[in-house]
Each structure stands twice: as structure tokens, then as C-alpha cells.
């Protein structure tokens, strides 16, 4: 499990880096930084001010920063770039994780047979049903893509992204708590004592 996880994460980071370069993610974030700096120069303010420093400013200085930031946040070009950056981030995360899962958790086990990933192959173990029957390709797909990728990886990742972006933070925390509770409950109380997948 540890070997497979390290391999999966390594491949996922490599693919995410490659997708980031192909989609010119850094160029878009640089463009946003340039627009932000242009607003700071034009209005003579700094948006990178700590809360305690902000509170020490005079009413007039705070209003100047607030007005400049309001104009920056409503700028059409800034909004388009922000939207593009969010969409590219989601695309990189989705495919940066999907490709390694399909390759390492589905195609490799199909090639090796008996549901063996590289880690399972090294240690001479495989996957089978409770009744001792070899796992089918459909069961392998359901386990790897529907279980591991969708339920155990992408759903928590999307909930974390919503939490970090401050979109539905309470619902995100609740969803993460429910997923964690469900995973622990399945491991502790199911007959096989295994994770959801």
C-alpha cells in the first residue's frame, strides 16, 4: 500500500506539472500578479498588508486600500483570469489524479492479473473476492475508479477545494466529516474490515 501510494503520488505530481506547463498555468498567474501590481502602483497602495497593520492605518488610508481592491476585484480582465485560473486548477487536479489512477490502479492490475498493482506484485499478493474467486475487470474498475478515485480521492479533494476557496465552508466540513466517519465505520464494522473501495 505504501509503495503504491508513493508511486501514485509521484506520477500524479509529474502529470500535474506537465499539465501545468502545457496549459501555461504560470503565465496566467503571472498576468494576474502584473494586473494586481498595476492597481497597487496606480492607487499607491499595497494589497499585501497584514490585518494588524491595516487596523493601524487611518480611516482615509483604509478607504483608499478598500476602494482600490474593490476596483481590482471587479475588473473584467481580472475576473476572467481568476475564472481561468480556477478552471485550469480543477482540470489539472482532476486529470493529474485520474491518469495515474487509470494507469496504476486499473491498467497495470489488468495486465498483471489478479488485481495486482506494482506493490502487490512485488510482495506477491493479489485481490480476490471473499469467496476466493478472481476479481473481474468490472470489479477492478469499480474498485479503482468508482471507489478509490471518485469516493476516496476526488470527493474529499473537491470538498477541500471548496473549503479553501471559502465556498460553502460549513457544508464542506460536514461532507469531509461524514466521509471520514463512513470510512472509519466501514473499516471497523464491516465483515471484511476494509476501506470503502
Amino acid at each position: 500500500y505504501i509503495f503504491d501510494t508513493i508511486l501514485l503520488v509521484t506520477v500524479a505530481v509529474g502529470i500535474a506539472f506537465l499539465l501545468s506547463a502545457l496549459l501555461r498555468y504560470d503565465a496566467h498567474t503571472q498576468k494576474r500578479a502584473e494586473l494586481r501590481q498595476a492597481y497597487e502602483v496606480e492607487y499607491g497602495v499595497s494589497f499585501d498588508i497584514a490585518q494588524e497593520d491595516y487596523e493601524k492605518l487611518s480611516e482615509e488610508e483604509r478607504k483608499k486600500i478598500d476602494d482600490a481592491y474593490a476596483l481590482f476585484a471587479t475588473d473584467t480582465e481580472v475576473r476572467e483570469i481568476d475564472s481561468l485560473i480556477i478552471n485550469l486548477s480543477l482540470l489539472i487536479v482532476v486529470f493529474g489524479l485520474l491518469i495515474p489512477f487509470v494507469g496504476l490502479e486499473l491498467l497495470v492490475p489488468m495486465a498483471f492479473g489478479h488485481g495486482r498493482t506494482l506493490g502487490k506484485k512485488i510482495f506477491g499478493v493479489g485481490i480476490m473476492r471473499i469467496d476466493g474467486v478472481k476479481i473481474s475487470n468490472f470489479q477492478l474498475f469499480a474498485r479503482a475508479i468508482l471507489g478509490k478515485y471518485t469516493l476516496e480521492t476526488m470527493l474529499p479533494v473537491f470538498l477541500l477545494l471548496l473549503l479553501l476557496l471559502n465556498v460553502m465552508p460549513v457544508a464542506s466540513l460536514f461532507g469531509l466529516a461524514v466521509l471520514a466517519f463512513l470510512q472509519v465505520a466501514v473499516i471497523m464494522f464491516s465483515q471484511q474490515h476494509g476501506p470503502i473501495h
Side-chain angles (χ1 to χ4, degrees):
Y1 173 79
I2 293 171
F3 177 82
D4 285 337
T5 301
I6 291 170
L7 186 61
L8 187 81
V9 168
T10 303
V11 172
V13 168
I15 290 172
F17 180 76
L18 180 65
L19 287 172
S20 175
L22 290 172
L23 297 171
R24 300 184 54 230
Y25 183 85
D26 289 342
H28 298 299
T29 57
Q30 180 62 36
K31 177 66 176 170
R32 187 186 188 284
E34 289 168 4
L35 288 169
R36 179 181 167 123
Q37 186 177 18
Y39 268 87
E40 290 177 333
V41 169
E42 182 178 343
Y43 293 98
V45 298
S46 174
F47 296 144
D48 294 324
I49 187 170
Q51 184 65 32
E52 62 247 11
D53 294 333
Y54 176 81
E55 291 170 0
K56 292 176 185 174
L57 296 174
S58 69
E59 184 77 27
E60 185 180 308
E61 291 171 320
R62 279 187 281 189
K63 183 171 179 0
K64 188 176 178 182
I65 291 175
D66 293 343
D67 290 346
Y69 193 78
L71 289 170
F72 172 75
T74 56
D75 184 295
T76 306
E77 189 176 6
V78 172
R79 292 178 69 140
E80 287 174 3
I81 288 177
D82 283 348
S83 177
L84 180 62
I85 288 170
I86 289 170
N87 290 334
L88 288 177
S89 298
L90 291 173
L91 188 74
I92 290 167
V93 168
V94 167
F95 286 101
L97 289 168
L98 179 63
I99 293 168
F101 266 97
V102 168
L104 298 173
E105 295 286 334
L106 183 64
L107 298 179
V108 167
M110 284 176 153
F112 286 156
H114 303 291
R116 288 179 289 190
T117 59
L118 289 171
K120 286 179 177 56
K121 177 84 169 166
I122 290 169
F123 290 98
V125 295
I127 301 170
M128 63 176 63
R129 295 184 346 201
I130 298 169
D131 57 7
V133 176
K134 178 180 150 182
I135 189 171
S136 70
N137 286 341
F138 177 76
Q139 290 169 323
L140 187 60
F141 171 81
R143 178 183 191 276
I145 304 304
L146 300 179
K148 282 184 170 184
Y149 174 74
T150 305
L151 284 176
E152 294 179 351
T153 304
M154 287 313 299
L155 189 55
V157 165
F158 278 126
L159 290 172
L160 283 171
L161 285 173
L162 290 175
L163 187 63
L164 291 172
L165 295 172
N166 205 23
V167 178
M168 302 186 318
V170 174
S172 301
L173 279 173
F174 179 74
L176 286 168
V178 167
L179 280 173
F181 174 78
L182 185 61
Q183 186 73 279
V184 169
V186 169
I187 289 170
M188 290 180 66
F189 302 115
S190 70
Q191 195 173 18
Q192 298 81 20
H193 299 291
I196 294 171
H197 71 267

